[in-house]
Amino acid sequence: MKIAFVQMNCHFGHIEANLARAAELIESVAADLFVLPELFNTGYLFQSSDELQQLSESAKDGQTTRFLSQLCGRKNCHIVAGVAERATDGAIYNACVLVGPRGFLATYRKVHLFDTEKRWFTLGNKPFFVVDMGSAKIGMMICFDWIFPESMRSLALLGADIICHPANLVMPHCQKAMVTRCLENNVYAITANRIGSEERGDEHIAFTGCSQIVGPRGKVLTTATAREECVRIVDVDVTAARDKNLNSQNNLLADRRPNFYTY
Ligand code: ACM
């Protein structure tokens, strides 16, 4: 199975241009699963609830999901992409969608909001879950979820083979931490980060690029540099994520001692 990240710059408020750029990057390559950055369609630094309201859309059948569905149909692939989701009750989530050739499949709502995201977004209100695509079991988490080991452990316990991780990273630690997370859980993880910066009002933020795909045993399979727009593809054996034995005596999941842990 070929899995990929799309590392790109995103222009705040220019949804159509961001969709077109993502499609351009995906159109010329072939993979089964692509991961795009967090909020890749809207940009990141919102200044008001009104602004977020205007740029948000339905995860199921909004402009972005419809666009990605058509792209998946043409390319016969699946895409995980970060969007600002407007739910039917009006709440707005920092979310990502899983879309395939036949359209919308699932939405994950970011459980751990980062910094000023808490001003605008509603906290994710649904547990981590896994989608069985046949060829692989897919789990989703978004950016800052990485700092909570429980995120990826929950997905691994649910049987995820591949963790799709759209990101807008600003701190330098995530890439190293994801190596540990993949070692702890023996899974694949695709971190799709963005590049560039945003300056809005008094706020300025720079995104760190260096997207990566890490495999079982914490092996780094491919990495982007900090500034390039690119797609990187790795051909993976999904079954390697299913053997949780570390050696003849230790199993990463079966050896856990939950009765001794504090929650
Ligand atoms: C982040 O969660 N966007 C840092």
Side-chain angles (χ1 to χ4, degrees):
M1 178 175 181
K2 288 189 175 163
I3 62 176
F5 63 72
V6 179
Q7 174 168 293
M8 58 184 277
N9 198 357
C10 307
H11 297 280
F12 188 88
H14 294 279
I15 292 182
E16 280 173 16
N18 293 328
L19 297 184
R21 183 61 185 139
E24 194 175 25
L25 286 160
I26 288 173
E27 208 75 66
S28 59
V29 293
D32 302 296
L33 174 66
F34 293 91
V35 182
L36 287 159
E38 177 182 14
L39 296 170
F40 90 100
N41 58 343
T42 59
Y44 185 79
L45 264 188
F46 294 92
Q47 297 237 280
S48 70
S49 301
D50 278 355
E51 194 173 65
L52 178 57
Q53 168 79 18
Q54 272 166 31
L55 293 170
S56 63
E57 50 186 278
S58 158
K60 263 194 187 151
D61 55 10
Q63 173 188 11
T64 299
T65 297
R66 282 184 275 118
F67 182 91
L68 295 177
S69 299
Q70 284 177 8
L71 184 57
C72 288
R74 282 202 303 283
K75 300 289 295 178
N76 191 28
C77 66
H78 286 76
I79 296 178
V80 170
V83 299
E85 178 205 1
R86 186 171 350 110
T88 46
D89 65 359
I92 301 183
Y93 298 95
N94 183 340
C96 59
V97 286
L98 169 63
V99 180
R102 271 175 259 118
F104 170 83
L105 287 168
T107 314
Y108 162 70
R109 295 170 171 165
K110 190 173 184 176
V111 167
H112 307 99
L113 293 175
F114 179 69
D115 198 13
T116 57
E117 290 169 27
K118 290 189 173 186
R119 282 189 208 146
W120 317 120
F121 290 100
T122 301
L123 277 166
N125 60 350
K126 293 187 179 156
F128 288 97
F129 63 93
V130 162
V131 179
D132 191 346
M133 287 171 38
S135 51
K137 289 187 179 167
I138 299 295
M140 294 179 274
M141 53 187 250
I142 299 177
C143 205
F144 190 55
D145 283 330
W146 70 265
I147 212 165
F148 302 91
E150 294 87 349
S151 309
M152 212 204 271
R153 177 48 55 90
S154 301
L155 292 169
L157 286 170
L158 290 166
D161 304 310
I162 303 172
I163 313 297
C164 299
H165 182 215
N168 273 192
L169 293 164
V170 292
M171 297 196 295
H173 315 291
C174 171
Q175 287 84 347
K176 280 196 206 114
M178 290 299 278
V179 171
T180 306
R181 300 280 174 272
C182 289
L183 177 65
E184 290 164 346
N185 295 292
N186 206 61
V187 291
Y188 292 96
I190 309 167
T191 297
N193 194 17
R194 61 166 285 188
I195 59 166
S197 61
E198 284 182 19
E199 199 162 343
R200 310 209 60 242
D202 294 337
E203 289 180 284
H204 178 269
I205 199 163
F207 303 97
T208 56
C210 300
S211 298
Q212 65 182 16
I213 299 178
V214 184
R217 309 269 165 155
K219 187 165 182 216
V220 178
L221 302 173
T222 188
T223 316
T225 64
R227 294 208 173 83
E228 62 183 331
E229 285 196 309
C230 64
V231 183
R232 294 267 192 279
I233 302 166
V234 180
D235 202 348
V236 300
D237 170 13
V238 172
T239 60
R242 294 184 183 160
D243 178 6
K244 304 298 184 188
N245 291 320
L246 192 61
N247 53 46
S248 63
Q249 298 298 317
N250 293 112
N251 183 285
L252 293 171
L253 300 186
D255 280 0
R256 293 170 65 247
R257 309 282 312 276
N259 291 346
F260 293 90
Y261 306 153
T262 305
Y263 289 96

